[in-house]
Every structure is written in C-alpha cells, then in structure tokens.
Amino acid sequence: MIRTAFIILFAILIATLLICGLVSLRSKKAIGKSVFLLCLSLIPPVLGNMIIVGATTRNVALVGCYTYYIGMDLIMFAMVGFTNEYCRVKNAKGERSTSVPTWIYYLLTIDVVQMFCNIPFGHAFVIHEIEAYGKPYFIMTPLLGQVFHRIVCYGAMAMVMIVFIIRSIKVPRVYRERYIVILISMIIGTIWQTYYIFSQTPIDRSMVGFAVFGLLIFYFSIYYRPLRLLDSMLADIISDTRVAILLYGPEGRCIWANEAAMRLTGNDGTDYEKVSAALRNFYKRIGELLENQEVEFDVGVSENERCYVIARGYFHDSKGKVLGSYVRVRDITEEKQRIEAELFAANHDALTGVYNKEYTFKKISDKLKQHELKDYYIAAINICDFKMFNDAFGREFGDEALIQVANWQRKYSDENCIYGRISGDTFGSCLPKRMFIQDIVERDLACFEVELGDTKQHLVIHLGFCEIEDGDEDVDVLFDRAFMALDSIRDNYKRHVAFFDKKIRDKMIWNQEISAQLGTAIKEDQIIPYLQPIADRNGKIVGAEALARWIHPVYGFMPPCDFIPLFEENGMIVDLDKHIWGWACRILSEWEKKYPDLFISVNVSPKDFYAADVLAEVMRLVIEYDIDPRNLRIEVTESSMMRDTDDKMKVLEEFRKQGFIVEMDDFGSGYSSLNMLKDMPVDVLKIDMKFLGKGSDEERANIVVKNVIRLSEDLGIVSLTEGIETVEHFNIINKLGCILFQGYYFSKPLPLSDFEALLDKSL
C-alpha cells in the first residue's frame, strides 16, 4: 500500500514538473528555457525511483537505478545552466559573465559515461534484494564508480550553492528573497538526499524534495515578485513624493496620509481624520469629484496664489467591489508658471514684449474666421530708414527705438486690439475703426522722438491701413494691402498715414495680371528690344543700347515704367533680361556682315547676379550666335554694385577677360562713386545730363562734369553722356571732352527696322 502510494505521488510530481516545464517554455522571459530544461531534468530521477519502488525483478530495478543516477547528472547539467542564467551579472564593460565554471560539464559527461560502463564492468554499484513492506525490494550497494558519481554531483551542487550565497549577499534587499528561498530548498534537498544515502531507507523520499525544489524554481523564476518589499518601497516613495495622497477605507474613513498631505493641510502626527477634515476645508467640493476626474483650482490671491490639481480614484477587487479610495493633490504652480513663461516666449517678441508675427497673424486669423472683425482696420507700421538709423546711433539706441515704438503701439490699443512686431523694423496691428483718429496720429508722429540718456533723435514712422471687408479671411493678403499703402508714401517724410484704396488695388491687380503674362509675352516676342543710338564726337552712330519694350496684344505699346519697376521688385526682371540678351545676340549675328563694327549694350540688373550665373548665360548666347564679345557690351548700374561688391567685381573682371566691354550706368547716383571707380573693372563710364545744372549752378556743374570726364580719361575709361536732348547739350559735353553720346538729340529708342533705316540714312 505504501509503495503504491509513493508510485502515485511520484507520477503526480512527474506530471506537475512536465506542466511547469511547458509553461516555462512558453514564457516570454529569457530564463524560461533554462527553467524548462531544469524541470525536465528532474523527471528522470523521480521516474527512476518510481520504477525502483514498483520493481519486483532485478532487471527492472536496474533500469530504475540507471535512470535515477544518470538523471542526477542531468539535474546537475540543467542546474549549472539555470544558475548561470539566473545569477548572471554584467561586468564593467557591460558584458554578461557566467558564475559556475563550464568545466564542470566535462566532469558530468565523464560521470554519465562511467555509469553506463557499469553494465559490462560492474564497477559502480550492485543491487541486492531485501524485503520491504511485505514485498521484494532492491537496494544499491555503492562501489568505486558510485563514489566518483557522488563526488561529481555533490561538487556541482556545492558550486551552485556558493554562487547563490554570493548573489544573496550582493543583491539589493528587495531581490534577496528570490535567491535565499531557492538556496534553502537546495540545502534541504541535499541534506534529505544525504540522509537517504546513509540511512539505507528502502524508498528515497528525498525525491519529493527534488520535485518541490523544481516547483520553487519555476515559481520564483516565472511568477515571483517581492510584493512585501515592493509594497514597502512604494510606501516610501509615496511618502517622499511632493504629491499629497490620502487613502480611505471602504467606509470612507481616512486611514493614511503621506508627508506631503500633512504639509499641505498644516498637520502632523497620525491623526489622519484631522488631515482629511483639513483637506475638505482646503477644497470644499471634494465630495463632488468623479472617479479619475482631475480638477484644477487656485488658493490665495496675487503673488501668494497657488494652483493645484485634485483627483479621486477607487480600488476594486476582481469582482468590482470597492476596497477603498484615494485622493491626490498636486501643486502645479511652478509647472503652470513655467508653461505660461514658455508660451509667452513662444508668442511674444523678446525685445519689445508685444506679440511676434506668428501669434499676431494667428490671433487675427482666428477672429476673421469667426467674423468678429467688422469695422476694423489692419495697420502696418514701418520705421523709415531704420537700418541707417541703427548704424548711425548704435544697436542699443536702435533697440530702444523699437521698444518705444512698441510702447506707442500699446498706447493706441486696448483689449479689442491685436498688435505685434512683424519683422525687424515693422509692426502690425488690428484695431477698431473708432479708435483711429488720423489728425491725432499725424500730429503725434510728426514729433515722435526716441530718447536714451542724453541722446534724443526724431524717428520717421509711416502707417499703412487696410479696411477689413466682408469675406476677407487671409491675414497675409490684408497685411500685403497695408504694406502697399505704406509704399505709396515711402519717400514722403511729412505724411505719416496712407490707406489702401482703389488706386492701389488697381495697381495690385495690374501687377498680378502683367506678372502672370510675362512668360507668354517672352514666348510670343511681345517684348522686343528697342535700340537707342549711341554716337561719337562727330555724331556718327557707333552702337546702341537695347531697351525692353512691350507691344501688348490688348494694351498696345506699354512704356517701360509700367512693367520694369514691377519686375525688378518681384525678381522677374531676370527672365526679361535673358530675353533681351538673346535678342541682342541675334541682332549682332545678323549685323555681322551689314554693320560689323556696331555694338549693342545690354543691361544687367542687380537681381541677375543673385538669380542666375550671368557670365555663363551670356557666354552661352555668344557661342550660340557666334558673335564677337566686344560687340555685346555689359551695362551695370552703380547702385547695383553697392552690395556684395567684391563678388560682383569678380564677375565683371571675368567678363573683361572674355573680351566684353563693361559699362557703368548712372554714375554719381550712389554714395561712394569715386571710391568704387578706382577699384571697379569698367571700360565705359555713363554720365547723366542731370549733372549739368541751370542758372547759378551751371558753372559749378560744368566743372564737376569736366573733371569727371578728365578723371575717366586719366583712368583709361571711355566717357559716355546720356540724356543729350539738344544741340547745345551736345556741343557743351563735346567741348568738355566726352567721347560717346546718347539721347533724344540723336534719336529716341527705335524698333530694329527703324534703327537700321536710320543707320542706312546716316551712311
């Protein structure tokens, strides 16, 4: 009966170990595979003992013995592998190192082989029959091989125990339990096994301990969490946190409060009900809080105001029954102040403190979409010549000017206004019409002065206004209109306010229409060069300047003032210039035989230097039409050289190296003509007749022109005067020593056919 009971018990333990092994194998934990192998390795010893207990013949008992002893080696194999995985730690280099030496595997392998060798040699053990519980029972008598087997197995177990002891000492307290329990179970199992060996008890009851040992390893490896210590640690964390926490029992009585809750309510000690009552006074609507609802509330006023978030939650069991509740209160004052500061910085200009462009436009756009800006203006505020002002008086004074303009903007605004800094020297505003009185603003701006220390300086400010109409929803468009109004008074220093009106609107529509048609006009040759003659001192035509003229299919002949300034402003002048360059090269190619000595001057605008590789484009055309570069003259204005002078001079020098003649137009219109002239690589200097004065200025003007011509001659530069309209002009300039002449006296700009007819007539 006893032997049958043990057979059943061993069978149950085998089934349990098998189930635990399969569960471990399916686990996502890294240790799962090692636990699976260990559980499986525990089955052979238990199975061997089950066979021995049930055996009634010697051969069956021998099978049980071999299964048992070799199974013990398998346990040691699996135990070493499990220990190396379970107790593995990272070294200084971050590499994971093993704990039990791997050479133990070789000893275990040798032991398995020598145990099998017992079959032919009989050196490890023999069995003999005794009677136990009324039936034959076979017990083992150890020989030399069995002694070796025990030394190897006990040695491996000793190494494993040492590793667990070391880890139990070094590991943090919260994890120590998971090592100590396994270590104790190993010690108990080893002692139990040792008792069986020396007591010669018929049935090896220590197998129960081995199976339990496997179950403990399964539990601690796969499912165990040190809940008691974790609860203690979490309690410490909650106590130390700045969040006030109060715990309530299912009946609603406060059973615990942390230190933060004590400080918040001004209480100490362990009278938690007193703390709870103080919290109800602190926030009187605590009973109305819904589960997991966060409510923000303020306490105090002005500088002493604090902001808090309060929430209430409940603990439930698996059946949904309330086990208790908690209330947490978090002080978010600093967090809110930080967020408000970050939002302020994100939405405001750092220097002036008013809104920045993005936030100004967003606020206005939101109001537009909600149709809340009826009878409102959009205003663009510009500080005239601010860059020059900044250079003259310094950055500090310039910053002070911006701050004072922003303060002036505030003075004319209230809660119904939206205003901010749009760019470096530009501000924008959205204000009700009723708040704007033009006469007052004009008088105010007429005497606007910036003062810093002992320095006081007048500042010219222009305002452009645009009325918000029904259907307006695009802030950018509205400000574009306000800036167009500004442009209408850009050079007027006595007038400070302008409005976007029908005239400006028509100009805007015209600009959009003409800009959209440029591509077609170029493709269809609606834009063609008109040639204005250039004559020498004898009045002979030696060349021409190519000037763009647009023969529009609807508007007819369009003067250049209707489109050239627009294209220079929007950058489309680049496409127009390329078109005229191509025309000039085509004409020169056709003149190769008829007028081989004539040249054509083409204009290169400032935008061309930035938007295109001017030299490469012109060289391409020269090669395509196979013309002499000296006949295609490159004309630049002095003002175009005021920025990025060095880079542009390099380009002009390259033109000269390739054989082109370089001309400087509008000489004297800039601020540093003489300084530039000594360095600029030019061959021709174009002088405007505006240099010649009238009345009392005539003599002095003539002296200036004469010396400019003489200066150019000394520098080896050819002088060309444009704007010659009368024979008197021609005679005066000719007498002063000028070489070339251009103007209506010779001819206005002509179409190609008319120019060629003029040439043929003069020959």
Side-chain angles (χ1 to χ4, degrees), residues 349 351-355 381 383 399-413 419-421 427 448 461:
D349 177 57
L351 177 64
T352 62
V354 297
Y355 290 152
I381 305 168
I383 304 174
D399 288 348
E400 181 61 28
L402 293 171
I403 292 171
Q404 292 190 24
V405 171
N407 291 337
W408 179 85
Q409 191 181 26
R410 287 190 185 94
K411 184 176 74 171
Y412 282 94
S413 304
Y419 55 92
R421 185 181 176 190
F427 295 79
F448 191 95
I461 299 175

Side-chain angles (χ1 to χ4, degrees), residues 302-317:
S302 190
E303 295 180 358
N304 296 320
E305 185 180 55
R306 307 292 296 180
C307 187
Y308 298 90
V309 170
I310 188 169
R312 184 166 198 161
Y314 292 86
F315 304 105
H316 301 85
D317 61 14

Side-chain angles (χ1 to χ4, degrees), residues 446-458:
C447 56
F448 191 95
E449 290 184 335
V450 178
E451 186 174 353
L452 181 64
D454 297 332
T455 306
K456 184 183 291 186
Q457 182 63 35
H458 177 66

Side-chain angles (χ1 to χ4, degrees), residues 134-291:
K135 290 184 179 181
Y137 187 84
F138 297 90
I139 63 172
M140 181 271 298
T141 300
L143 301 176
L144 184 61
Q146 183 68 11
V147 173
F148 177 79
H149 167 74
R150 290 173 179 173
I151 291 173
V152 171
C153 290
Y154 274 93
M157 182 60 76
M159 290 183 183
V160 169
M161 289 183 182
I162 290 171
V163 171
F164 270 85
I165 291 171
I166 293 172
R167 290 296 293 148
S168 300
I169 295 171
K170 291 185 176 182
V171 81
R173 183 168 60 95
V174 70
Y175 298 111
R176 193 169 296 160
E177 186 176 2
R178 66 196 293 254
Y179 293 99
I180 291 177
V181 173
I182 292 178
L183 177 62
I184 292 173
S185 65
M186 281 192 288
I187 294 172
I188 292 173
T190 303
I191 294 174
W192 198 348
Q193 174 70 10
T194 304
Y195 168 76
Y196 163 74
I197 290 173
F198 289 102
S199 67
Q200 291 293 304
T201 304
I203 298 177
D204 188 355
R205 294 166 175 81
S206 67
M207 288 299 101
V208 177
F210 272 78
V212 171
F213 167 66
L215 298 179
L216 286 173
I217 285 180
F218 166 75
Y219 169 72
F220 276 94
S221 301
I222 306 301
Y223 291 110
Y224 172 73
R225 288 188 305 160
L227 296 178
R228 180 174 57 82
L229 293 176
L230 285 174
D231 289 343
S232 176
M233 290 176 66
L234 290 173
D236 290 342
I237 293 171
I238 292 174
S239 295
D240 291 339
T241 185
R242 296 176 63 184
V243 179
I245 298 177
L246 292 87
L247 302 182
Y248 294 84
E251 74 286 351
R253 185 173 62 86
C254 184
I255 58 176
W256 185 81
N258 67 352
E259 291 294 330
M262 300 287 189
R263 292 192 299 270
L264 180 68
T265 58
N267 288 277
D268 53 17
T270 57
D271 190 350
Y272 299 131
E273 276 298 304
K274 187 177 180 181
V275 177
S276 180
L279 181 63
R280 283 192 292 272
N281 290 330
F282 190 68
Y283 182 73
K284 300 185 183 301
R285 300 176 61 186
I286 193 169
E288 302 175 16
L289 287 174
L290 301 177
E291 184 174 2

Side-chain angles (χ1 to χ4, degrees), residues 643-658:
R643 292 184 179 179
D644 301 322
T645 305
D646 292 341
D647 293 337
K648 292 176 182 175
M649 283 189 177
K650 290 178 182 177
V651 175
L652 296 183
E653 188 59 52
E654 284 298 319
F655 268 113
R656 297 182 75 202
K657 289 179 180 179
Q658 296 297 329

